[in-house]
């Protein structure tokens, strides 16, 4: 007896390769909003602790001047994207993330690097989370390639609008729930839609990070850091998932809080050490060095708006003061990082 005898029909009959594929079942039905609402009630304490951690980080940023705050948000975004890339199986170090795409090592996945650059911008606050076309920067497609060749695999036109509408309808089932609950639910919902091409896991992660901070002050996104790697790609029971998600938020915000404290301490020490330098060049250089894990003379020149000679002199002086350190050990294409 052949395997076909187990069927009441021969599946090869009338099969035409030119026929369109059969419609796929709506995977959004795999999520039960009622179970998530029940999980939220059970996880009230966890949600409160996550909200407290978010508020503490947001309050710390609110007390800083805008220029310093922008640099710190950039640093938090770089840290978060690095963690996301590890979770997505395409690890790229922070030092690579801040270099030009054209200058990236040949061993780096350029598609992942391009997507990472998009993610850094989103975590800095670009794009509206309630407008997925704007959030994903799909308007760029009309002007040429978007974030990479795999954008050609993305649904476009009415197909994308239908997916976006379905995503919004799925989220609406949790109207009135805590923003953290909605973000955890929404990130899992995103994975069940065709909003992103295969391999673009960072898009749903970034949406969730931004959604949790949507009503916050200067905090553009809520970091989860390395703890996020334990929840971004997991499934399972809503209560267990929401508990783990809240713990990751609390851990990520605490990591962010410590990072900001460390960096603002370095800024204050460096300001004092360079107080005798005339003009504002030193202050601008300090912000650039604080915002990026590693800096070259060329990037300092461009980002601080100073001459190359001034950038090189400042780097040598700060290194001599023990405030920065050269990390390549090379004579050309040298990179500096904070000694903090």
């Amino acid at each position: 007896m052949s395997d076909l005898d187990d069927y009441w029909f021969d599946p090869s009959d009338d099969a035409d390769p030119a026929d369109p594929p059969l419609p796929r079942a709506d995977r959004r039905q795999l999520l039960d909003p009622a179970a998530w609402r029940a999980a939220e009630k059970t996880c009230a304490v966890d949600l409160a602790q996550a909200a407290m951690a978010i508020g503490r980080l947001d309050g710390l940023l609110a007390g800083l001047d805008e220029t310093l705050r922008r640099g710190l948000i950039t640093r938090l975004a770089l840290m978060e994207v690095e963690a996301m890339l590890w979770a997505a199986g395409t690890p790229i170090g922070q030092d690579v993330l801040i270099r030009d795409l054209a200058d990236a090592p040949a061993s780096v996945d350029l598609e992942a690097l391009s997507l990472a650059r998009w993610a850094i911008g989103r975590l800095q606050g670009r794009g509206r989370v309630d407008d997925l076309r704007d959030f994903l920067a799909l308007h760029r497609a009309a002007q040429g390639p978007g974030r990479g060749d795999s954008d050609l695999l993305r649904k476009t036109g009415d197909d994308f609008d239908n997916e976006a509408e379905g995503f919004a309808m799925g989220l609406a089932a949790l109207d009135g729930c805590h923003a953290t609950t909605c973000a955890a639910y929404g990130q899992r919902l995103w994975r069940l839609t065709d909003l992103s091409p295969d391999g673009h896991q960072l898009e749903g992660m970034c949406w969730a990070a931004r959604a949790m901070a949507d009503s916050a002050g200067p905090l553009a996104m809520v970091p989860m850091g390395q703890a996020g790697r334990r929840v971004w790609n997991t499934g399972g029971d809503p209560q267990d998932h929401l508990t783990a998600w809240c713990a990751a938020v609390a851990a990520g915000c605490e990591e962010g809080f410590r990072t900001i404290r460390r960096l603002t301490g370095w800024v204050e020490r460096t300001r004092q050490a360079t107080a005798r330098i005339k003009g504002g060049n030193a202050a601008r250089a300090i912000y650039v060095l604080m915002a990026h894990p590693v800096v070259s003379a060329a990037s300092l020149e461009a980002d601080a708006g100073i001459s190359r000679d001034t950038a090189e002199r400042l780097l040598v002086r700060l290194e001599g003061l023990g405030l920065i350190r050269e990390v390549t050990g090379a004579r050309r294409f040298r990179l500096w990082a904070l000694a903090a």
Side-chain angles (χ1 to χ4, degrees), residues 80-93 97 112-113 115-116 202 205 232:
E80 192 70 0
V81 170
E82 183 180 27
M84 290 177 174
L85 287 166
W86 275 94
T90 52
I92 300 175
L97 291 179
L113 181 58
L115 182 57
L202 269 66
M205 297 175 188
W232 281 317

Side-chain angles (χ1 to χ4, degrees), residues 50-84:
M52 186 181 303
I54 294 170
R56 184 167 177 253
L57 182 59
D58 195 37
L60 178 60
L61 285 170
L64 303 173
D65 69 75
E66 185 177 354
T67 304
L68 180 57
R69 187 164 60 231
R70 282 202 306 269
L72 289 167
I73 289 173
T74 297
R75 177 73 76 137
L76 292 178
L78 286 163
M79 292 170 57
E80 192 70 0
V81 170
E82 183 180 27
M84 290 177 174

Side-chain angles (χ1 to χ4, degrees), residues 123 129 135 167 171 178-180 182-184 186-187 204-216 220-222:
L123 295 184
V129 293
F135 182 73
F167 180 75
L171 282 179
H178 195 282
T180 301
C182 293
Q187 197 259 334
M205 297 175 188
C206 287
W207 177 89
R210 286 284 306 280
M212 286 189 286
D214 197 35
S215 60
M221 59 88 186
V222 172

Side-chain angles (χ1 to χ4, degrees), residues 215-283:
S215 60
L219 187 63
M221 59 88 186
V222 172
M224 299 171 75
Q226 297 302 317
R229 293 166 60 181
R230 295 192 291 269
V231 295
W232 281 317
N233 293 325
T234 58
D237 177 73
Q239 180 179 328
D240 292 342
H241 185 75
L242 187 56
T243 299
W245 185 281
C246 290
V249 168
C253 287
E254 179 59 30
E255 180 185 5
F257 192 91
R258 291 195 303 267
T259 297
I260 291 174
R261 284 293 195 194
R262 177 175 58 84
L263 292 173
T264 52
W266 178 89
V267 168
E268 185 56 34
R269 292 194 305 275
T270 308
R271 281 175 173 170
Q272 294 175 4
T274 58
R276 295 184 179 181
I277 299 178
K278 296 180 180 179
N281 289 338

